[in-house]
Amino acid sequence: TYSCLVLSPGAWKEWYAKIGILHADAHINTVSLQALIAGETVREPVIVARRPLILVATLLFSGAIGIAARKKTLHQGAVAALMLLPVLMNPANYYLHLVCLYPLLVAEPLPRKKSKREGFPVPFTAAADSTSAQVALILLLMCASHYFAVLVQDRHIRFYQLSFSIVAGLAAVLFVLLRRDGPDLLTLLSPVSLSCSPPAQAPHEKSEDDKEGEDDLAENEPASTKS
């Protein structure tokens, strides 16, 4: 809706036409999961022959991204959806500047406090956990590896290395996130966790705390009322 207000609804039609052109033929500067599996030459017959493998890898990546996005904040879910770009689509290398947004996957909302001087809420720095540090390090190494890929003179090998680095980096990030969140998600989805919940107390039964409270009242009750 925002893009329709700023540009026009016709912008989506132009975008779709451009995406169709990118997917029509194999291009040399595509950086994606499909380009990685197709090989450094990225020939159309090779893509057709390896289509089943591309489909399986796409489903695995999409499923892992969907699981990693469960029970996350709205901005984390939006960034997780951006991880699908090199998986579901076949973008050119310059579209992947969005990697600068990937660290937001582990960015939690900062607590807010009152500023004594200015009198309005301001965020303050929160300590990062080990998972956040690992994700940041993986993304940093991924971006650093792109520098060495640019030094390669052969353009086929250069963009193939870029495809390898982006896919390997996303796979490593997903591994770290699923290793942290996987056990909790399995606990939520497991039928055993539902059966282990405490049984509901019958309406006519009284808890131990209620019985102890009644005994204390009976002991403290005046003698006149007892008679």
Side-chain angles (χ1 to χ4, degrees):
T1 56
Y2 177 77
S3 60
C4 292
L5 293 175
V6 175
L7 302 174
S8 68
W12 282 103
K13 182 179 179 180
E14 297 175 1
W15 173 85
Y16 185 79
K18 186 174 183 179
I19 293 299
I21 294 174
L22 291 175
H23 281 277
D25 299 310
H27 298 277
I28 190 174
N29 65 330
T30 53
V31 178
S32 63
L33 178 64
Q34 174 178 295
L36 175 65
I37 298 177
E40 59 190 40
T41 55
V42 199
R43 301 294 183 184
E44 190 65 28
V46 178
I47 295 177
V48 174
R50 299 179 181 178
R51 185 71 67 185
L53 181 59
I54 294 174
L55 179 60
V56 171
T58 300
L59 291 176
L60 290 176
F61 263 95
S62 301
I65 293 172
I67 294 174
R70 280 182 56 85
K71 301 183 73 64
K72 298 296 189 297
T73 61
L74 185 60
H75 78 271
Q76 289 173 331
V79 175
L82 292 178
M83 298 177 71
L84 293 171
L85 178 62
V87 175
L88 299 180
M89 298 183 181
N90 202 31
N93 62 309
Y94 47 82
Y95 282 102
L96 294 181
H97 293 299
L98 56 83
V99 297
C100 64
L101 299 175
Y102 287 160
L104 294 176
L105 281 168
V106 289
E108 298 291 342
L110 295 177
R112 304 183 71 85
K113 65 178 181 179
K114 280 284 186 178
S115 173
K116 295 181 179 179
R117 184 181 63 178
E118 301 177 357
F120 59 87
V122 293
F124 63 91
T125 305
D129 58 2
S130 60
T131 301
S132 302
Q134 292 175 28
V135 170
L137 180 60
I138 291 171
L139 294 175
L140 178 62
L141 293 175
M142 181 187 72
C143 294
S145 66
H146 292 175
Y147 170 79
F148 298 99
V150 173
L151 299 179
V152 178
Q153 297 298 322
D154 191 323
R155 291 186 298 172
H156 294 279
I157 299 178
R158 179 194 309 166
F159 291 108
Y160 184 76
Q161 289 183 357
L162 291 175
S163 295
F164 174 81
S165 64
I166 189 72
V167 173
L170 293 182
V173 168
L174 289 173
F175 174 78
V176 171
L177 293 177
L178 293 179
R179 185 180 60 179
R180 181 192 66 179
D181 302 333
D184 294 336
L185 294 176
L186 290 177
T187 302
L188 292 174
L189 298 176
S190 175
V192 178
S193 63
L194 299 178
S195 61
C196 292
S197 58
Q201 190 177 12
H204 63 276
E205 294 182 355
K206 296 182 179 179
S207 63
E208 294 296 331
D209 294 337
D210 294 337
K211 293 179 180 179
E212 293 179 359
E214 291 180 357
D215 294 338
D216 294 338
L217 290 175
E219 292 176 0
N220 297 329
E221 187 177 2
S224 58
T225 58
K226 290 184 180 179
S227 60

